[in-house]
Amino acid sequence: MPAKKEYLSSSPQKALKVSAAILGGYFVSASFHLMLASITGHKEIIMLTSTFSLFLMWGIVMIATFLAHNGWKIWGLYLGLTFLFLLLTYLTK
């Protein structure tokens, strides 16, 4: 039994979601960990444990990407979060 056409995404939306999941998810996860290291002051500990926690967070963000209906909105959200985290990293130096 095929899925209803109204629930399927178009090809450009699929491409936006996949690129947002891979690239945007990584940018959000990496910038969050940089901000966390900058704010807490435990740079060595955060950077060592981020090898595991970044991968876990990236996977969660990737899954959350496909729950959205619009790829442009999710890209905007991920870019906004990335710049917010990087701004906080810059301001705490």
Side-chain angles (χ1 to χ4, degrees):
M1 181 161 93
K4 286 186 170 184
K5 296 288 184 191
E6 65 186 75
Y7 296 119
L8 299 177
S9 298
S10 64
S11 292
Q13 284 296 319
K14 287 179 192 175
L16 282 169
K17 288 179 186 180
V18 168
S19 64
I22 295 171
L23 291 175
Y26 181 76
F27 292 155
V28 168
S29 301
S31 62
F32 174 77
H33 281 85
L34 287 173
M35 179 203 61
L36 194 61
S38 178
I39 288 176
T40 61
H42 302 292
K43 291 178 176 58
E44 296 84 15
I45 295 170
I46 298 291
M47 288 298 126
L48 284 174
T49 59
S50 73
T51 56
F52 301 109
S53 60
L54 189 140
F55 183 70
L56 233 133
M57 184 178 173
W58 188 22
I60 292 169
V61 171
M62 285 176 83
I63 292 170
T65 302
F66 292 102
L67 297 176
H69 293 289
N70 192 343
W72 289 110
K73 287 182 182 178
I74 203 74
W75 256 117
L77 175 69
Y78 286 172
L79 288 176
L81 283 173
T82 300
F83 287 124
L84 174 71
F85 293 151
L86 292 176
L87 178 70
L88 290 173
T89 302
Y90 177 74
L91 292 176
T92 57
K93 280 188 172 183

